[in-house]
Amino acid sequence: MHIDQWIAAIPPLAVYITIGLIVMIESLGVPIPGEIALVSATLLTLHPSSAVQWEFIAVAATAGAIIGDSIGYSIGRKGGKPLFDWLGRKFPKHFGPSHVATAERAFGKWGMWTVFFGRFIALLRIFAGPLAGALKMPYGRFLIANALGGITWATGTVALIHYLGEVAERWLSGFAWVGLAVALVAGVVISLIIKNRAGKAMAPVSATEEQSELR
């Protein structure tokens, strides 16, 4: 089957549901590449044979993020710190003591804004919901930050990739796949810049805590 026919045969609803589920599972605390899946799905919207629309991808990802984080919050609230101790023993690469300590310091310094900015940082994205619940953050505050973070992250990422791809295709008419590649690279670079700045914002928190411990 020609690639155009294959892309045209992909049911848009299946794409939306898949993206929503992937983002939701990641938000529960499972370390899977939700952001990569989101970017990949958005690239489909740039192909003329695809019926997938970026607006619905953004809606699906937003819903997945909000629902997943809320479920993760409930799990963390019920499981408490012992849950993270158990996860640290089973999955030290993702839930080791240093990872949990870093996330806790961020929560201690920034509170509900950790949930918002955590959506843009891989480490905090899988911790935000469960750890907010374990630390007994009021659900109302958590939900506000969770919803704002999910909407900003999902809509911003998808719109950025989509419109960058459209611009690239206009500049590189006749080289559609080159345009998609340029859009992907640009999206990844901008995403890394955002994460780097968010990470720098969190860095002083860790430094302050380490100095306090030394004293």
Side-chain angles (χ1 to χ4, degrees):
M1 182 182 290
H2 192 275
I3 191 168
D4 286 353
Q5 295 176 313
W6 180 78
I7 291 177
I10 299 177
L13 182 60
V15 175
Y16 306 144
I17 292 175
T18 300
I19 289 300
L21 288 174
I22 290 175
V23 173
M24 183 184 74
I25 292 171
E26 182 187 40
S27 301
L28 283 171
V30 180
I32 59 176
E35 202 162 49
I36 293 176
L38 186 61
V39 170
S40 300
T42 305
L43 291 178
L44 285 176
T45 67
L46 300 173
H47 199 282
S49 298
S50 176
V52 178
Q53 299 181 47
W54 74 266
E55 295 91 343
F56 291 112
I57 290 179
V59 170
T62 298
I66 295 173
I67 294 171
D69 267 345
S70 293
I71 296 174
Y73 174 92
S74 298
I75 293 173
R77 194 171 183 87
K78 292 179 180 179
K81 295 299 291 296
L83 172 64
F84 286 95
D85 293 337
W86 179 82
L87 288 172
R89 292 192 298 270
K90 294 293 184 180
F91 310 100
K93 183 177 179 180
H94 298 289
F95 297 96
S98 62
H99 297 106
V100 175
T102 299
E104 285 183 331
R105 285 194 289 267
F107 269 94
K109 177 66 176 180
W110 300 104
M112 63 183 288
W113 290 108
T114 304
V115 178
F116 177 86
F117 288 111
R119 179 52 55 183
F120 299 89
I121 304 172
L123 171 64
L124 291 178
R125 188 154 59 239
I126 64 174
F127 275 107
L131 193 55
L135 295 176
K136 302 296 189 292
M137 176 183 288
Y139 182 70
R141 296 177 62 198
F142 169 79
L143 182 60
I144 292 173
N146 177 28
L148 291 175
I151 292 170
T152 304
W153 171 75
T155 305
T157 300
V158 173
L160 180 66
I161 298 298
H162 177 79
Y163 286 114
L164 279 177
E166 283 192 338
V167 170
E169 282 191 308
R170 284 197 292 270
W171 285 351
L172 301 167
S173 56
F175 298 92
W177 291 109
V178 176
L180 295 184
V182 171
L184 176 59
V185 172
V188 170
V189 169
I190 292 175
S191 178
L192 289 175
I193 291 173
I194 293 174
K195 289 180 180 180
N196 183 52
R197 289 184 177 179
K200 286 182 178 179
M202 294 298 180
V205 181
S206 300
T208 301
E209 291 293 333
E210 289 176 1
Q211 290 175 0
S212 299
E213 290 174 2
L214 290 174
R215 292 173 186 171

